[in-house]
Amino acid sequence: MLNLFIELRCEFNLTYLFISHDLGVVRHLSDRVVIMYLGRVVEMDATDDIFATANHPYTRALLAEVPRLDTRKNFCRHQGRDTIATESTKRLSFPSAL
């Protein structure tokens, strides 16, 4: 499906507004990225620049959740349910909205 978006964009010179929390997909589809946190724009830049030099803690948290082949998953029991924990799922503190 993602490759179809890319093919259609090239063939018909289209522009997309693609909204997602999955920055791995966003990186695949987008030339530019806008990161919003609590309804406000906190970063806006070329896709490669966002991935190379993320400034806002929320952007860094989203990037930490992008699946990687080297991510090791730890299976654990939590409140009677099976869950998967990774290093990137630790609790993070973000600045509040001003």
Side-chain angles (χ1 to χ4, degrees):
M1 184 61 134
L2 299 178
N3 290 333
L4 178 60
F5 281 143
I6 293 169
E7 288 175 25
L8 291 173
R9 181 180 66 186
C10 293
E11 185 176 341
F12 297 107
N13 197 28
L14 297 176
T15 299
Y16 294 115
L17 173 62
F18 186 78
I19 300 171
S20 176
H21 286 97
D22 185 341
L23 291 188
V25 173
V26 170
R27 185 177 205 177
H28 186 69
L29 287 177
S30 304
D31 299 319
R32 295 192 55 78
V33 177
V34 174
I35 304 292
M36 295 183 71
Y37 177 68
L38 298 176
R40 296 173 192 238
V41 173
V42 295
E43 291 200 56
M44 178 172 51
D45 213 335
T47 304
D48 290 339
D49 293 336
I50 290 285
F51 274 76
T53 57
N55 293 312
H56 196 273
Y58 183 64
T59 305
R60 290 192 300 267
L62 290 173
L63 290 171
E65 294 301 319
V66 173
R68 292 174 179 80
L69 293 176
D70 62 349
T71 299
R72 295 175 191 258
K73 295 180 181 174
N74 299 313
F75 293 90
C76 60
R77 299 286 290 170
H78 180 67
Q79 298 178 358
R81 299 179 308 216
D82 289 325
T83 60
I84 300 173
T86 65
E87 280 299 307
S88 59
T89 59
K90 295 177 182 174
R91 293 214 179 264
L92 299 171
S93 296
F94 303 120
S96 60
L98 300 176

